[in-house]
């Protein structure tokens, strides 16, 4: 998609006109114009020159947005976009108010004996206000000349009609008689509309706060190793392969790999995860994240527009440049709205004249119709909500690629979850250690480690990891063999070791019936029992399973509470799949599905309702593409997953719930905005035309009509800003409230390795959700999800060889 900046648009009629003109250019397949950001996104093969020419012919100016270079030079484009509109409007408003105050004083000081002098003063003051606000007339009459009238046309026609009529009546007074003058109406209309524009501009500026916040995350300078020395250089000078230094409290300038140092990095700005992520040599770091504790030396891997942060900013910007399907109704109305209002104003004035009313009265009704009508409100109804919604999502690690994906996510009735890597962690772990009589858990694990350390089977890694946590080392096994039938064998200290499934182990020794029954029970729970023997003696069972993520069950429960039908899709056998499905709490389990068959399952489910497919974006690409909305979970630094419509930065199903909740809130907000915009005009135009004068005696002056118009767009934008207050976490917030922090003052921590020892020891305790340690501060902070005794915390730290001084 190519993006353009469009100048001169003032309302929805303008954006509709530009969109219609560009869509007619040969080679353009789609075009969406955003009134909110004054931008246009165009897809197709058309030349940029032809597109810019089409916009110019429609009466507006356009320029191609140049892509950010690999290493951009410092410019205003590197910083958050500056708001130039608000200061100009503020200056115009203040000047207009000064002359309007003088105009109103002259009007209220009217005397019969000096009406000509007073009238001339009103004319001069009103003329001055019109010159100050000449932009309305230039834009309004230019667009009228191009047969594309917009909101400025309505304001210009209304103010001009009042001014011209009053001027004519003023000079008619020279021949005798007195007449009503409407100079103050013209001045008040222009001033009030400028006030409305100022309020709208200030509110619209707040809708891009999330985007501006992301742009401010990257530091302007970085510490780099050049010729063996540390030097400070501007971030734009960094290139791939540079070695840079990040000290505690500093922001990371570009994406890179840790070469040296151990630390905790706050990645909340990118992922929405409040708990810092541990970094050590080999770990990836991202631009815009904050180093919280240790010293890090890193090698730059992605710089400029290739960083994760730059891709997120681009994605939020692209979302704002696209159009949601719900906006189509407003677009159709906007194209004919202004001409229809002009026609209604003419008919209104003509009808009142035919009914015997004075020209002044008929003119006032026509002017009221012109200035109360507001195409801006309906043009802004959708884009402001999309901008705020997508920005709110980006701050929480939820990236919507298009406005359509933001809308469709909330319309789903079915959520399909891939099992491996989505509901489960995707990494097998030891879940049960069941030693035989006379064998300890440690002995069983040592026997299993001796065999599995030489195996390349995925389940072997789970046993090796568990042994590592127990600080066990593998004994050297001779004559190691991996035998057909899922079995391992080897010799240790003259004894034959055996390991494998029940069928394999039963060929060599007799397994007690109690253990076979336990193995059956473990299989029912979706776990894989592995049997081990040494020297012809049965030693026990170690169960391994791909365990569920901590938040999966809670997230699925929330989805069901939102009225969604939750389906688990997996290639596992029926028994294993059902065990995981029951534990997770899904509504339906579809098992035995190969990767290339997932698309067919999605197509069948789409016959019932809109479908969301959640997967890891790797082997789920066909299913993600086939679904109404594809969500890739746990993207991390890879935010550009082509098959997905929505990208989640964290491996957490709770983010899926947040995405759906945000989408529903955004869609609800759009409907509220559209309802307000349409109902405002449906009620306002008849009221302004005088339709209720004979029935209820209601009569609206042009000044009050202008005030109503000036507030309509402001109300729509302000309503969209309420999306920043939407609670995306629901029940998770309640759980957060129950958490508490404790600070432990510790002596003798000397380096990053000491920090890691203390951190891991504390996090191994039941009730400790997370821990962080700093040798520089001499403190550790633990986050608890239930009460943990201080003595236990102290004992745990001191067993690692460090002295606890006190608790804060």
């Amino acid at each position: 998609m190519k993006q353009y900046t469009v100048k001169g648009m003032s309302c929805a009629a303008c954006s509709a006109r530009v969109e219609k003109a560009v869509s007619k250019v040969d080679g353009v397949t789609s075009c969406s114009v955003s009134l909110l950001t004054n931008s246009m996104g165009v897809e197709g093969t058309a030349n940029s020159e032809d597109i810019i020419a089409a916009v110019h012919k429609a009466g507006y100016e356009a320029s191609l947005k140049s892509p950010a270079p690999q290493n951009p030079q410092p410019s205003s484009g590197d910083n958050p976009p500056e708001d130039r509109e608000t200061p100009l409007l503020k200056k115009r408003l203040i000047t207009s108010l000064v002359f309007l105050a003088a105009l109103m004083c002259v009007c209220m000081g009217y005397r019969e004996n000096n009406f000509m002098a007073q009238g001339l003063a009103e004319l001069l003051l009103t003329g001055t206000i019109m010159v100050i606000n000449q932009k309305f007339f230039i834009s309004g009459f230019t667009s009228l000349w191009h047969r594309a009238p917009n909101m400025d046309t309505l304001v210009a026609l209304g103010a001009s009609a009042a001014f011209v009529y009053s001027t004519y009546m003023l000079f008619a007074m020279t021949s005798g008689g007195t007449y009503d003058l409407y100079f103050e109406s013209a001045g008040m209309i222009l001033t009030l509309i400028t006030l409305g524009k100022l309020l709208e501009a200030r509110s619209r500026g707040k809708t891009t706060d999330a985007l501006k916040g992301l742009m401010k995350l990257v530091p302007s300078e970085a510490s780099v190793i050049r010729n063996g020395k540390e030097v400070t250089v501007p971030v734009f000078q960094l290139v791939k392969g540079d070695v840079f230094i990040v000290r505690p409290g500093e922001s990371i300038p570009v994406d890179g790999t840790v070469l040296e140092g151990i630390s905790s990095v706050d990645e909340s700005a990118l992922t929405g995860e409040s708990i810092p992520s541990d970094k050590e040599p080999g770990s990836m770091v991202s631009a815009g994240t904050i180093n919280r504790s240790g010293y890090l030396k890193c090698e730059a891997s992605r710089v400029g527009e290739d960083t994760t942060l730059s891709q997120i900013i681009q994605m939020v910007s692209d979302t704002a440049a696209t159009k949601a399907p719900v906006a189509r109704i407003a677009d159709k109305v906007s194209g004919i709205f202004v001409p229809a209002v002009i026609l209604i104003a003419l008919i209104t004035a003509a009808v009142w004249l035919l009914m015997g009313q004075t020209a002044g009265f008929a003119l006032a009704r026509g002017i009221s119709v012109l200035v109360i009508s507001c195409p801006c409100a309906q043009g802004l109804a959708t884009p402001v909500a999309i901008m705020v919604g997508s920005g709110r999502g980006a701050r929480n690690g939820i990236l919507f690629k298009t406005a359509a994906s933001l809308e469709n996510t909330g319309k789903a009735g079915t959520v399909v979850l891939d099992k491996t890597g989505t509901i489960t962690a995707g990494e097998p772990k030891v879940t049960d250690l069941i030693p035989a009589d006379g064998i300890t858990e440690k002995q069983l694990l040592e026997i299993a480690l001796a065999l599995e350390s030489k195996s390349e089977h995925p389940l072997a890694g789970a046993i090796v990891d568990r042994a590592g946590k127990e600080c066990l080392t593998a004994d050297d096994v001779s004559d190691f063999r991996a035998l057909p039938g899922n079995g391992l064998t080897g010799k240790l200290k003259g004894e034959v070791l055996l390991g494998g499934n029940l069928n394999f182990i039963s060929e060599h020794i007799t397994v007690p019936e109690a253990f076979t029954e336990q193995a059956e029970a473990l299989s029912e729970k979706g776990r894989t029992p592995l049997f081990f023997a040494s020297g012809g003696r049965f030693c026990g069972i170690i169960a391994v399973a791909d365990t569920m993520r901590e938040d999966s069950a809670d997230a699925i429960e929330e989805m069901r509470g939102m009225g969604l039908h939750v389906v688990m899709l997996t290639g596992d056998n029926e028994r294993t799949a059902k065990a995981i499905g029951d534990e997770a709490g899904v509504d339906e389990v579809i098992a035995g599905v190969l990767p290339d068959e997932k698309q067919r399952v999605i197509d069948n489910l789409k016959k019932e309702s809109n479908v969301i497919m959640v997967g890891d974006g790797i082997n789920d690409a066909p299913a993600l593409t086939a679904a109404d909305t594809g969500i890739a979970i746990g993207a991390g630094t890879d935010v550009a997953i082509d098959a997905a419509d929505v990208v989640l930065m964290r491996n957490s199903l709770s983010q899926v719930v947040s995405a759906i909740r945000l989408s529903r809130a955004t869609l609800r907000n759009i409907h509220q905005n559209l309802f307000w915009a349409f109902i405002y005009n449906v009620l306002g135009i008849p009221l302004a035309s005088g339709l209720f004068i004979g029935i209820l005696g209601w009569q609206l002056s042009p000044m009050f009509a202008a005030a109503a118009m000036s507030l309509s767009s402001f109300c729509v934008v302000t309503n969209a800003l309420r999306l920043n207050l939407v609670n995306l976490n629901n029940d998770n917030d309640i759980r957060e409230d129950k958490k508490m922090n404790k600070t432990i003052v510790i002596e003798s921590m000397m380096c990053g390795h000491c920090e890691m020892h203390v951190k891991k020891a504390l996090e191994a305790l039941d009730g400790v959700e997370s821990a962080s340690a700093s040798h520089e501060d001499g403190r550790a902070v633990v986050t608890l999800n239930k009460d943990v005794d201080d003595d236990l915390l102290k004992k745990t730290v001191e067993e690692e060889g460090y002295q606890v001084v006190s608790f804060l």
Side-chain angles (χ1 to χ4, degrees):
M1 174 188 288
K2 288 185 179 179
Q3 289 202 33
Y4 298 79
T5 299
V6 183
K7 296 181 180 179
M9 297 190 298
S10 61
C11 70
C14 298
S15 58
R17 172 77 176 175
V18 172
E19 195 167 303
K20 185 177 180 180
V22 173
S23 296
K24 292 180 179 178
V25 176
D26 291 338
V28 172
T29 55
S30 69
C31 171
S32 60
V33 180
S34 172
L35 176 64
L36 175 67
T37 56
N38 290 317
S39 62
M40 174 176 65
V42 181
E43 292 184 349
T45 57
N47 292 326
S48 300
E49 293 79 7
D50 295 337
I51 292 171
I52 293 172
V55 175
H56 182 74
K57 188 176 180 182
Y60 307 91
E61 297 297 326
S63 59
L64 184 65
K65 287 184 180 180
S66 56
Q70 182 72 17
N71 293 294
Q73 296 296 316
S75 69
S76 59
D78 298 323
N79 300 314
E82 183 182 351
D83 182 5
R84 296 186 177 89
E85 184 182 10
T86 302
L88 292 176
L89 284 170
K90 189 176 182 180
K91 185 177 179 181
R92 272 171 52 191
L93 177 62
I94 293 172
T95 313
S96 298
L97 283 171
V98 171
F99 285 97
L100 180 64
L103 175 61
M104 299 308 292
C105 289
V106 171
C107 292
M108 290 186 289
Y110 178 83
R111 294 289 184 274
E112 282 288 332
N113 58 349
N114 63 352
F115 62 87
M116 278 299 296
Q118 300 249 335
L120 286 171
E122 290 180 27
L123 183 149
L124 291 173
L125 289 169
T126 304
T128 303
I129 295 173
M130 293 174 74
V131 171
I132 293 169
N133 295 283
Q134 60 184 283
K135 187 175 180 180
F136 289 125
F137 300 93
I138 295 172
S139 171
F141 289 123
T142 300
S143 62
L144 188 62
W145 176 259
H146 286 93
R147 292 178 295 176
N150 57 21
M151 187 206 76
D152 289 344
T153 305
L154 299 179
V155 176
L157 287 175
S160 297
F163 183 81
V164 171
Y165 173 80
S166 299
T167 303
Y168 175 77
M169 288 296 105
L170 176 63
F171 285 100
M173 291 182 191
T174 57
S175 58
T178 58
Y179 304 92
D180 291 330
L181 302 179
Y182 292 93
F183 286 119
E184 77 281 3
S185 292
M188 184 67 79
I189 287 169
L190 293 169
T191 304
L192 286 175
I193 298 301
T194 302
L195 171 62
K197 286 280 190 181
L198 175 61
L199 293 174
E200 179 190 326
R202 289 174 67 92
S203 296
R204 282 166 62 176
K206 292 180 181 178
T207 65
T208 57
D209 280 351
L211 195 58
K212 294 173 185 175
L214 289 171
M215 292 179 176
K216 291 178 181 178
L217 290 175
V218 178
S220 58
E221 295 180 329
S223 299
V224 187
I225 303 296
R226 295 273 171 88
N227 300 320
K229 295 181 179 180
E230 182 180 332
V231 295
T232 301
V233 301
V235 169
F236 69 85
Q237 291 185 2
L238 284 175
V239 296
K240 184 177 179 181
D242 271 346
V243 175
F244 60 91
I245 304 298
V246 188
R247 292 179 172 81
E250 294 180 348
S251 293
I252 294 171
V254 295
D255 291 3
T257 305
V258 177
L259 299 177
E260 179 184 319
I262 297 174
S263 181
S264 294
V265 174
D266 182 356
E267 298 179 335
S268 59
L270 300 188
T271 66
E273 175 58 68
S274 59
I275 300 173
S277 175
D278 295 328
K279 302 298 179 183
E280 56 188 16
S283 299
M284 300 295 295
V285 292
S286 299
T289 57
I290 301 172
N291 182 19
R292 287 299 184 196
S293 53
Y295 169 95
L296 292 177
K297 180 186 286 187
C298 311
E299 180 180 344
S301 58
R302 293 194 290 192
V303 299
E305 65 178 346
D306 295 329
T307 65
T308 302
L309 180 62
S310 294
Q311 291 181 52
I312 291 173
I313 292 171
Q314 186 62 47
M315 196 174 292
V316 174
S317 179
D318 286 345
T319 302
T322 59
K323 225 163 226 184
V326 73
R328 290 171 186 162
I329 299 173
D331 289 344
K332 290 179 180 178
V333 173
S334 298
I336 60 172
F337 183 82
V338 176
V341 169
I342 295 173
L343 182 61
I344 292 171
L346 292 173
I347 293 173
T348 297
V351 168
W352 282 114
L353 286 172
L354 292 174
M355 291 175 64
Q357 289 290 346
T358 64
F361 182 89
L363 180 67
R365 303 288 72 74
I367 293 173
S368 295
V369 170
L370 287 173
V371 297
I372 200 172
S373 307
C374 187
C376 267
Q378 62 204 38
L380 289 171
T382 300
V384 291
I386 294 296
M387 174 60 87
V388 177
S390 60
R392 178 74 194 281
R395 288 202 306 270
N396 286 274
I398 304 167
L399 307 177
F400 296 95
K401 287 192 174 181
T402 63
S405 63
L406 177 54
E407 177 183 335
N408 292 334
T409 301
K411 291 181 176 180
T414 301
V415 178
V416 180
L417 305 174
D418 180 51
K419 183 193 76 105
T420 304
T422 302
I423 294 178
T424 64
E427 297 178 359
K429 292 184 178 180
V430 172
T431 58
D432 302 88
L433 286 168
I434 310 173
D437 294 338
I439 301 290
T440 64
E441 288 188 358
K442 181 181 178 181
Q443 288 173 326
L444 173 61
L445 196 55
E446 286 175 336
I447 292 168
L449 176 62
L451 286 172
E452 301 292 357
S453 62
K454 294 183 175 292
S455 172
E456 296 180 358
H457 194 279
L459 298 183
I463 293 175
V464 173
D465 287 343
R466 176 60 180 268
K469 292 179 180 178
E470 301 286 341
C471 298
L472 300 179
T473 56
D475 291 320
D476 190 21
V477 174
S478 60
D479 298 335
F480 174 81
R481 287 182 296 166
L483 303 174
N486 294 324
L488 303 173
T489 182
K491 284 186 178 181
L492 177 65
K493 298 177 182 178
E495 292 189 349
V496 176
L497 303 184
L498 299 171
N501 60 23
L502 179 60
N503 291 335
F504 171 78
I505 211 81
S506 297
E507 293 175 1
H508 299 84
I509 64 168
T510 300
V511 178
E513 185 176 350
F515 284 87
T516 59
E517 291 175 356
Q518 287 189 65
E520 185 68 22
L522 290 170
S523 297
E524 290 289 341
K525 294 179 181 179
R527 301 171 187 176
T528 302
L530 301 175
F531 297 77
F532 293 92
S534 174
R537 178 188 175 190
F538 177 69
C539 296
I541 298 173
I542 297 180
V544 178
D546 183 8
T547 56
M548 274 210 314
R549 298 186 187 278
E550 290 182 2
D551 67 338
S552 290
D554 289 337
I556 290 169
E557 183 181 352
E558 284 193 60
M559 291 181 201
R560 296 180 64 192
M562 296 164 72
L564 296 165
H565 180 70
V566 184
V567 179
M568 186 182 83
L569 198 60
T570 178
D572 287 348
N573 62 69
E574 190 75 33
R575 186 171 69 171
T576 302
K578 188 177 184 305
I580 295 292
D582 289 344
E583 186 181 359
V586 299
D587 295 302
E588 182 182 352
V589 175
I590 302 177
V593 181
L594 298 176
D596 57 352
E597 295 175 341
K598 290 181 180 179
Q599 183 174 351
R600 174 182 51 79
V601 174
I602 296 296
D603 290 337
N604 290 334
L605 291 171
K606 284 171 66 176
K607 296 174 184 177
E608 304 296 328
S609 65
N610 278 18
V611 173
I612 291 175
M613 173 66 196
V614 184
D616 57 18
I618 301 171
N619 61 355
D620 303 309
L624 290 172
T625 305
D628 296 290
T629 304
I631 299 181
I633 189 171
T637 57
D638 185 17
V639 299
I641 297 176
D642 294 332
D645 302 299
V646 184
V647 178
L648 306 181
M649 299 292 286
R650 297 206 317 264
N651 277 312
S652 171
L653 276 184
S654 62
Q655 274 202 311
V656 177
V657 177
S658 297
I660 296 170
R661 189 171 284 119
L662 177 59
S663 174
R664 288 184 175 182
T666 303
L667 194 57
R668 186 164 56 248
N669 193 278
I670 291 172
H671 289 154
Q672 292 167 354
N673 286 345
L674 288 174
F675 173 80
W676 161 252
F678 283 116
I679 204 70
Y680 164 82
N681 286 303
V682 167
L683 296 177
I685 292 175
L687 177 61
S689 68
L691 192 64
F692 300 114
I693 291 176
I695 304 171
L696 302 171
W698 293 353
Q699 181 176 324
L700 193 67
S701 74
M703 289 182 284
F704 283 107
M709 180 193 187
S710 67
L711 290 174
S712 60
S713 297
F714 172 70
C715 290
V716 165
V717 178
T718 303
N719 184 53
L721 290 173
R722 291 193 308 111
L723 285 170
N724 285 315
L725 305 177
V726 172
N727 180 9
L728 300 183
N729 300 315
N730 200 25
D731 295 338
N732 290 333
D733 285 349
I734 299 172
R735 287 191 286 273
E736 288 288 336
D737 292 340
K738 295 179 180 178
K739 296 175 184 177
M740 56 182 175
N741 291 335
K742 280 188 178 181
T743 301
I744 311 171
V745 180
I746 304 172
E747 286 185 348
S748 64
M749 286 194 298
M750 304 298 291
C751 64
H753 292 287
C754 297
E755 294 174 356
M756 293 299 290
H757 284 305
V758 171
K759 174 182 167 63
K760 288 183 177 180
L762 289 170
E763 288 183 341
L765 293 176
D766 183 34
V768 176
E769 182 166 298
S770 65
S772 63
S774 170
H775 72 277
E776 294 176 342
D777 297 336
R779 296 182 180 184
V781 178
V782 290
T783 301
L784 310 175
N785 51 33
K786 66 179 183 181
D787 190 38
V788 179
D789 190 69
D790 288 352
D791 289 339
L792 178 59
L793 294 172
K794 181 179 180 180
K795 179 183 177 184
T796 302
V797 174
E798 292 184 344
E799 284 179 350
E800 294 296 319
Y802 307 99
Q803 183 66 37
V804 173
V805 178
S806 63
F807 289 84
L808 300 180

